[in-house]
Amino acid sequence: MLKLYGSTTSPYVRRIRMLLANVEHDFVNMQIFAGKDRDYLMSKNPTLKVPMLEDGEDIIYDSRVIFRYLVEKYSLPALTWQQENLLTVIDSINDSLVQLLLLQRSDIESDDDKLYFKLQDERVSHAFSHLNNAVEQGAFNHWEYPEICLFCLLDWTAFRQLHELASYPALLEFLSQHKSRIEASSTDPRE
Ligand SMILES: N[C@@H](CCC(=O)N[C@@H](CS)C(=O)NCC(=O)O)C(=O)O
């Protein structure tokens, strides 16, 4: 049986949980920052990040690679290059916001005058605008992996209050359009 390791709050983990909504699997909810779960992660995954997928002898890390693994295993449609690029944009926001959250938790205050924060803030705003335009142009009109990843990013950004989404109306509309899907409500990080 497939075993997915992660946490209920991670947007990277949630996308794989939503993708596996109709595939039998075990979900292992870990506390990755300390204790025995971290020891387990240390023993299996040198990146010390989740998600991680275990399939018999195979251990796969990184959501993007896990997706490719599942595409191969279940003959799912592969992404187009345009979708790959959109996923890169989604991941670039996700990575910046994960770093900002970790800084918050380290009691390091955000300071717009500092290069590090300025670069993250510019990337996040610019990339959200790009995604807002992409939604307006119909690039997220299905319910497949890119849409799932966008949904997880937006819902997590709102949940953690990491960036104001009010200036991206198409993204807000996209979020509310998909919120009540069963795989969205059953993986809601607020639950
Ligand atoms: N590129 C990775 C990113 C995964 C990632 O950043 N996961 C976060 C949780 S949202 C994590 O495990 N962070 C732990 C850390 O940074 O120490 C993927 O797509 O799976």
Side-chain angles (χ1 to χ4, degrees):
M1 165 106 71
L2 283 182
K3 227 172 175 177
L4 177 68
Y5 294 85
S7 63
T8 54
T9 48
S10 162
Y12 287 107
V13 173
R14 190 182 186 189
R15 53 172 71 166
I16 303 295
R17 291 178 74 198
M18 289 176 69
L19 182 70
L20 289 177
N22 297 315
V23 175
E24 212 185 330
H25 68 282
D26 282 337
F27 172 60
V28 184
N29 185 17
M30 302 179 96
Q31 305 298 326
I32 63 166
F33 291 131
K36 65 176 184 8
D37 287 350
R38 187 158 186 87
D39 294 342
Y40 187 75
L41 205 57
M42 286 250 186
S43 72
K44 299 278 180 188
N45 177 350
T47 73
L48 302 179
K49 292 183 184 182
V50 287
M52 174 174 86
L53 186 74
E54 201 176 281
D55 186 13
E57 297 293 294
D58 291 324
I59 298 254
I60 315 286
Y61 19 84
D62 196 286
S63 63
R64 220 145 163 173
V65 185
I66 292 172
F67 174 71
R68 274 185 45 214
Y69 182 87
L70 295 171
V71 163
E72 236 179 77
K73 188 175 170 82
Y74 296 110
S75 306
L76 306 175
L79 299 182
T80 64
W81 294 117
Q82 193 213 3
Q83 288 175 320
E84 293 279 5
N85 276 343
L86 288 170
L87 194 49
T88 298
V89 177
I90 291 170
D91 283 359
S92 72
I93 301 176
N94 245 322
D95 286 342
S96 284
L97 293 181
V98 165
Q99 292 310 310
L100 290 172
L101 186 63
L102 289 175
L103 287 168
Q104 269 178 25
R105 293 195 174 166
S106 311
D107 293 325
I108 296 173
E109 268 193 42
S110 176
D111 178 348
D112 292 344
D113 294 335
K114 291 263 167 29
L115 181 66
Y116 182 83
F117 290 102
K118 186 170 132 54
L119 295 182
Q120 307 317 308
D121 192 54
E122 270 182 15
R123 170 170 24 261
V124 169
S125 303
H126 193 60
F128 268 135
S129 294
H130 181 86
L131 293 174
N132 192 72
N133 291 342
V135 168
E136 280 173 352
Q137 287 159 19
F140 289 94
N141 270 354
H142 303 277
W143 182 247
E144 288 168 1
Y145 192 60
E147 285 82 4
I148 287 175
C149 294
L150 179 60
F151 176 84
C152 292
L153 168 66
L154 295 172
D155 197 41
W156 176 76
T157 303
F159 163 57
R160 294 292 197 198
Q161 299 181 316
L162 291 164
H163 192 84
E164 180 53 69
L165 294 174
S167 44
Y168 313 107
L171 295 181
L172 285 177
E173 168 62 27
F174 175 91
L175 184 59
S176 76
Q177 190 189 334
H178 295 293
K179 234 182 178 134
S180 51
R181 285 184 181 272
I182 180 76
E183 62 271 52
S185 49
S186 65
T187 57
D188 191 333
R190 302 157 187 88
E191 297 298 311

